Amino acid sequence: MTAAVTERGYQGRVHEQARRLMSAWMGELGRAEVEGVPTGALMISGNCVELLRACHVLPMFPEVTALQNAIRHQSLPLILKAEQAGYSSDNCAYVKADIGLFLDGGMGPGTPIPFPTLTVCNYVGCNVYVKWFEHLADISGSKLFMLDVPFARTPEPSADDVRYVVAQLRELIALCESLTGRAFDIDELREILAYAARAEDGYARCKHLAKHHPAPFDAYFDSINMMGPINVLRGTRDAAEFFDDAVAELEGLVAQGLGPLSDERFRIVIEGPPPYPYYRSFRNLFTKWGAVAVQSTYSTVGGIWEWGFRHDPRRPLESIAEQMLRENLTNRSIVDRYQQIRRYVEEWQADALVIHSIKSCRLFSAGQGDMRDYFIRELGVPTLLVESDLEDPRYYAEAQIRNRIDAFFEALEHKKLTGRAAAGRTS
Amino acid sequence: MAIEPILAECRDLVTQPLGALAEGWKAAHPGGRAIAAYPVWAPAEIVHAAGMLPLALLGGGTSVELTHADARFQSFVCSIAKSSLELGFQGLVAGVDGFVFSNICDVARNLSSIYKRNFPAAFVEYLHLPQNSTSPAVAAYAASELRRLATSLEAAFGAVVTDTALAKSIEAYNAVRARVRSLYAFRIAEPAKLSTTELYLILRAATLTPPEETLARLDALLAALPARGGRRQDRMRVVLEGLFCEQPPLGLIEVLEETGCYVVEDDLLLGWRWFTEDVPTDGDPFACLGAAYVDRAVPSSTRHEGRRHRAEGLIEKVRRARADAVIFAPAKFCEPALFDYVLMKQGLERAGIPHMVVEFEEKMWTFERTRNEIENFVESMLFD
């Protein structure tokens, strides 16, 4: 009988530093109202956080607030509050948790989550973003700026696409100037973009380190520690240094042959956001089987950096536009995502694909049955699809999910054993 | 021409499989092509200017059983997406050469690429229609996106879309839309003479025939309707909202009308009557159409309008149609409609306009619960 797999408790500096940096940012947000610092709400996906930073507008992310409430098991009462106000049980629960927070008195003047001074809807793929920010602007009374980013429907963004986005970025700059009373400085943006590129480089190197056997970290469950700095704090010196440290730490683990688990038995790619209300339980279901995520799509919602794209300080607005248009998961089609996952499976040498399908986010999930069909039938990649939600705990059926995961890894283990036996007979 | 035969013709068109309609038209137009647009807005002018037949891809309604699409799309996805895919799997859109989708919602976007993957021989184009309504750059972008569609059609089928042809197509559809606006105005004035079930069939038939043919039908109806009998009854005048994408079963509309309502405004097939006034044709027709998409658009849950609150368009509709109340009828799982419901409901309450909500699904076939809910609502209004 094989020994039980355990977590090594290895989180170390990456985890601690991420927590410290994110807490500092939350602290800044909490003080913004009193200190008169203008705030700008943004969405995570393919965001232009560097631009707000250069405009001296403190970025805030309703998605981060929503996921934090979910991971602390506080999302359900907020969701119910929103549903009482008329939101449907079929609406995205991220939005409901955010609106529920306002209805519950947890967002707005005098709270740790201020109303945004400016609501910038970076419409990068997700149509719910448009609705969410219309509603946020409605309750907060803040100015709504709709930054319309054409969806990736050609192999590369067209000149018209880039021109359209850059024109809107210039309008956003002018709006910020009128809001802050400060003139925009393009050289300051260049400097911020240089820090962004350094962080992107570090994040990409971390991802590539997961190609090692064992992978030094779990690229799904541990990526959350890096997603804060890369998506929220990108463009700061702190975020750039954070990734310098992360690379050094993970390289050290690779040199020692250490991974997150005592034994890496299965290498998997995970598609879809995690069930935040049951983050730990969900992770345990994989740990027990020695399954480590060596790549994940969720970690690329803000940007896909592992294929080499970096913000370019020499072409500041154009490179921001290009990143929003093409270099992130959400503005690409679901079928483009199949190719992203295929590369992950092949280049990161994964044994299987796990699709976590969530009701709230149709951008991610609608059509994942077709994705499963593609990977199983056309590529022969063992694929598991389980359903729950990223925010609403009512959709997480633990026993059912556990049964499906157990059955999947039992079959995978059997396949490995019979494969080894067959190889032994032929050698 | 009498009204009833025209209505019968519309009903017959609506019940035919889309593929069979396309084949029928192509048999009469050798070398012709048919392109179907998924809701909401249909770039019919561009397709027509390419010499092709523009059609609407509106799902399978109650006519198809899902046997393949259910394995592709989860249970929490709207029915129209699944049944539209199913039509492809069951060969019911064979004869339609291409499909156009746009960024109305997350499901439609994913459906577009999944359609392409599963039916690689079909032409599939995805349009990104602008969500920014106020940027000075938006009109040029919209025009460029429409040009891209025209270029794609040209490349795929060897068609040519000239400025002159496009201007003519815009005029043809302007004429159709003007008649549709007249029909809507007529229903507001004489709801007893034109039911919403009938108007819906007329509109839907307009998405299945070339504009020239549609125009003749609409002109005949407009000429004959004023003389039609119909005694006005003491009914509640309502605006129906939320049905802009997934198609309601006819039974649902009939129940509304049977339970004491005159539907005097709605958002049925909104994309095919998108423009509030004629699209200009003086100048670059792509630019005219692109600018009109943004500046002459009806309020829609699938387009962000930065210049007005979500509820304003609906309240205006209520006042223009002299309606007493609003019935929201979002399709099950339709996020644009379900989100807008909240802001619209709040706006209606501020304006003192009563409202109720009934969800529907295209496959719905029993309406007793809906009937009870509407009857209760109507009674509560009448005896208030």
Side-chain angles (χ1 to χ4, degrees):
Chain A
M1 187 175 169
T2 48
V5 179
T6 54
E7 269 188 46
R8 209 171 44 73
Y10 64 97
Q11 274 85 355
R13 290 204 313 274
V14 172
H15 181 73
E16 281 311 312
Q17 284 189 26
R19 179 181 285 193
R20 183 176 55 75
L21 290 175
M22 293 299 281
S23 296
W25 165 67
M26 292 297 290
E28 267 187 274
L29 263 185
R31 296 190 303 275
E33 193 185 327
V34 173
E35 294 175 357
V37 176
T39 52
L42 267 182
M43 290 301 184
I44 290 288
S45 301
N47 69 53
C48 55
V49 66
E50 297 86 352
L51 193 71
L52 286 198
R53 218 177 282 296
C55 290
H56 300 274
V57 172
L58 183 63
M60 57 187 289
F61 292 87
E63 285 156 293
V64 175
T65 314
L67 79 84
Q68 284 176 337
N69 280 320
I71 214 160
R72 291 171 189 147
H73 308 290
Q74 293 168 354
S75 58
L76 186 55
L78 306 177
I79 292 167
L80 293 175
K81 269 225 156 35
E83 288 181 359
Q84 281 162 10
Y87 288 87
S88 165
S89 59
D90 296 321
N91 278 137
C92 168
Y94 249 19
V95 183
K96 288 188 287 191
D98 189 47
I99 302 293
L101 186 66
F102 157 71
L103 295 170
D104 198 44
M107 182 216 297
T111 72
I113 310 290
F115 275 154
T117 320
L118 176 65
T119 298
V120 181
C121 181
N122 45 311
Y123 170 46
V124 179
C126 173
N127 279 57
V128 168
Y129 278 4
V130 175
K131 301 294 180 193
W132 188 344
F133 272 23
E134 279 183 10
H135 291 221
L136 181 62
D138 191 64
I139 59 174
S140 65
S142 60
K143 168 80 181 165
L144 174 61
F145 185 89
M146 185 59 61
L147 178 42
D148 180 24
V149 179
F151 190 67
R153 61 247 183 273
T154 47
E156 294 298 327
S158 69
D160 287 324
D161 291 344
V162 175
R163 202 175 299 126
Y164 179 43
V165 175
V166 167
Q168 293 176 86
L169 293 174
R170 290 188 201 285
E171 291 164 34
L172 177 58
I173 290 169
L175 178 61
C176 289
E177 284 180 323
S178 71
L179 197 77
T180 62
R182 294 178 71 158
F184 171 73
D185 178 356
I186 192 80
D187 290 327
E188 192 176 349
L189 178 61
R190 290 183 208 279
E191 196 179 321
I192 287 168
L193 288 175
Y195 281 129
R198 200 169 121 198
E200 290 152 10
D201 204 47
Y203 190 45
R205 286 172 66 195
C206 292
K207 290 289 202 75
H208 283 290
L209 285 171
K211 286 179 176 167
H212 286 273
H213 296 241
F217 72 111
D218 188 292
Y220 186 61
F221 293 106
D222 294 331
S223 275
I224 191 173
N225 294 323
M226 298 188 225
M227 285 175 70
I230 197 66
N231 294 325
V232 172
L233 307 176
R234 205 174 60 237
T236 62
R237 179 197 290 263
D238 282 345
E241 289 175 351
F242 167 85
F243 282 103
D244 293 344
D245 288 351
V247 170
E249 184 171 45
L250 296 177
E251 280 176 344
L253 292 174
V254 168
Q256 295 171 70
L258 290 173
L261 304 183
S262 57
D263 184 12
E264 180 185 282
R265 291 183 187 159
F266 298 103
R267 295 168 67 82
I268 57 174
V269 171
I270 302 187
E271 140 81 353
Y276 280 115
Y278 291 94
Y279 200 78
R280 168 50 62 184
S281 327
F282 191 58
R283 180 172 197 165
N284 289 344
L285 299 177
F286 294 95
T287 297
K288 149 185 176 189
W289 287 97
V292 175
V294 293
Q295 257 292 15
S296 64
T297 49
Y298 183 56
S299 56
T300 62
V301 290
I304 302 176
W305 315 110
E306 51 263 46
W307 309 146
F309 179 85
R310 302 287 178 265
H311 279 106
D312 184 352
R314 291 165 302 179
R315 304 168 52 250
L317 296 181
E318 289 75 11
S319 78
I320 290 174
E322 286 159 7
Q323 198 269 321
M324 300 184 89
L325 282 159
R326 190 71 203 174
E327 304 299 331
N328 63 83
L329 174 133
T330 51
N331 213 42
R332 297 174 173 219
S333 79
I334 186 169
V335 174
D336 279 354
R337 205 186 314 154
Y338 299 0
Q339 297 316 310
Q340 183 181 345
I341 296 170
R342 182 182 182 160
R343 280 188 69 177
Y344 288 168
V345 170
E346 290 171 358
E347 294 174 25
W348 273 256
Q349 297 180 319
D351 302 302
L353 168 65
V354 174
I355 302 170
H356 180 235
S357 182
I358 56 162
K359 182 181 178 186
S360 276
C361 183
R362 270 81 164 187
L363 175 146
F364 248 110
S365 59
Q368 280 171 328
D370 187 69
M371 177 187 284
R372 175 180 55 188
D373 186 78
Y374 171 76
F375 279 95
I376 292 176
R377 289 179 202 278
E378 298 198 16
L379 301 186
V381 175
T383 301
L384 169 70
L385 189 150
V386 288
E387 282 185 27
S388 76
D389 197 64
L390 83 172
E391 184 78 13
D392 192 334
R394 292 173 294 184
Y395 294 105
Y396 190 84
E398 169 118 20
Q400 195 185 356
I401 291 175
R402 188 193 310 117
N403 285 343
R404 288 184 55 78
I405 290 174
D406 285 349
F408 180 72
F409 283 105
E410 270 167 19
L412 216 54
E413 192 160 67
H414 179 74
K415 194 177 156 197
K416 269 197 173 178
L417 287 172
T418 50
R420 258 188 239 133
R425 279 195 300 275
T426 53
S427 60
Chain B
M1 189 178 176
I3 293 167
E4 299 312 323
I6 301 176
L7 292 175
E9 183 194 359
C10 293
R11 193 177 284 271
D12 177 56
L13 279 166
V14 169
T15 51
Q16 289 186 46
L18 201 62
L21 276 170
E23 291 289 17
W25 183 82
K26 283 157 69 174
H29 300 82
R33 304 283 187 171
I35 306 291
Y38 192 74
V40 175
W41 184 65
E45 290 88 342
I46 310 272
V47 175
H48 185 257
M52 302 174 185
L53 174 66
L55 295 167
L57 175 65
L58 298 172
T62 51
S63 69
V64 290
E65 281 299 319
L66 300 183
T67 54
H68 303 84
D70 251 358
R72 302 296 208 281
F73 281 94
Q74 299 91 325
S75 57
F76 51 76
V77 171
C78 59
S79 188
I80 184 175
K82 289 191 268 199
S83 67
S84 293
L85 186 62
E86 190 68 38
L87 290 175
F89 283 125
Q90 294 192 17
L92 294 170
V93 284
V96 179
D97 302 281
F99 303 90
V100 180
F101 298 84
S102 64
N103 53 327
I104 57 164
C105 70
D106 296 331
V107 171
R109 186 197 44 246
N110 289 8
L111 176 63
S112 171
S113 57
I114 286 173
Y115 228 92
K116 180 74 187 164
R117 188 183 93 76
N118 283 281
F119 312 113
F123 169 88
V124 175
E125 188 55 83
Y126 182 82
L127 289 181
H128 181 94
L129 299 171
Q131 287 287 351
N132 187 331
S133 51
T134 54
S135 168
V138 70
Y141 166 75
S144 75
E145 185 65 349
L146 297 178
R147 265 190 214 101
R148 192 179 65 77
L149 173 64
T151 307
S152 286
L153 287 170
E154 289 172 345
F157 301 113
V160 179
V161 181
T162 64
D163 284 3
T164 310
L166 182 55
K168 277 190 179 162
S169 296
I170 291 173
E171 280 166 7
Y173 278 96
N174 275 344
V176 168
R177 284 185 292 260
R179 269 50 164 201
V180 169
R181 286 197 293 272
S182 298
L183 283 172
Y184 267 72
F186 180 81
R187 184 183 57 169
I188 289 173
E190 300 278 1
K193 291 185 178 180
L194 177 63
S195 76
T196 295
T197 309
E198 292 167 338
L199 182 53
Y200 172 70
L201 287 169
I202 295 164
L203 277 179
R204 187 138 177 199
T207 71
L208 301 170
T209 50
E212 301 79 8
E213 204 177 301
T214 303
L215 196 61
R217 203 160 47 233
L218 299 181
D219 277 339
L221 281 166
L222 282 165
L225 276 168
R228 194 185 201 194
R231 190 172 59 82
R232 191 175 296 194
Q233 297 174 338
D234 186 19
R235 292 192 190 184
M236 189 169 79
R237 296 167 66 92
V238 299
V239 169
L240 195 54
E241 186 75 17
L243 309 95
F244 49 84
C245 181
E246 185 162 320
Q247 301 303 295
L250 281 181
L252 178 73
I253 306 174
E254 285 164 357
V255 159
L256 281 168
E257 299 189 306
E258 286 163 12
T259 47
C261 295
Y262 280 132
V263 176
V264 287
E265 254 295 358
D266 59 63
D267 58 356
L268 290 158
L269 295 165
L270 198 64
W272 287 76
R273 48 195 185 88
W274 187 261
F275 303 109
T276 52
E277 51 192 319
D278 284 353
V279 178
T281 49
D282 51 338
D284 175 353
F286 288 98
C288 290
L289 196 56
Y293 177 83
V294 179
D295 290 328
R296 297 180 188 220
V298 288
S300 163
S301 289
T302 58
R303 191 181 73 86
H304 171 73
E305 175 50 80
R307 294 163 287 196
R308 305 173 82 192
H309 188 272
R310 271 286 167 208
E312 270 181 47
L314 179 57
I315 293 169
E316 210 173 87
K317 226 194 262 191
V318 170
R319 303 246 155 92
R320 193 177 58 237
R322 303 186 302 282
D324 306 303
V326 172
I327 295 180
F328 287 104
K332 184 78 183 148
F333 304 120
C334 174
E335 288 222 280
L338 291 169
F339 272 120
D340 278 6
Y341 165 68
V342 179
L343 292 186
M344 287 177 169
K345 166 177 112 75
Q346 290 167 353
L348 291 181
E349 283 164 6
R350 283 193 295 270
I353 299 167
H355 59 85
M356 71 167 296
V357 61
V358 284
E359 278 191 356
F360 79 95
E361 208 166 12
E362 60 175 5
K363 292 196 181 310
M364 189 175 175
W365 57 278
T366 57
F367 305 99
E368 286 318 299
R369 190 177 151 189
T370 311
R371 183 189 298 275
N372 284 339
E373 286 171 349
I374 296 168
E375 275 173 354
N376 285 342
F377 180 63
V378 171
E379 282 169 17
S380 72
M381 289 278 297
L382 291 177
F383 301 114
D384 192 18

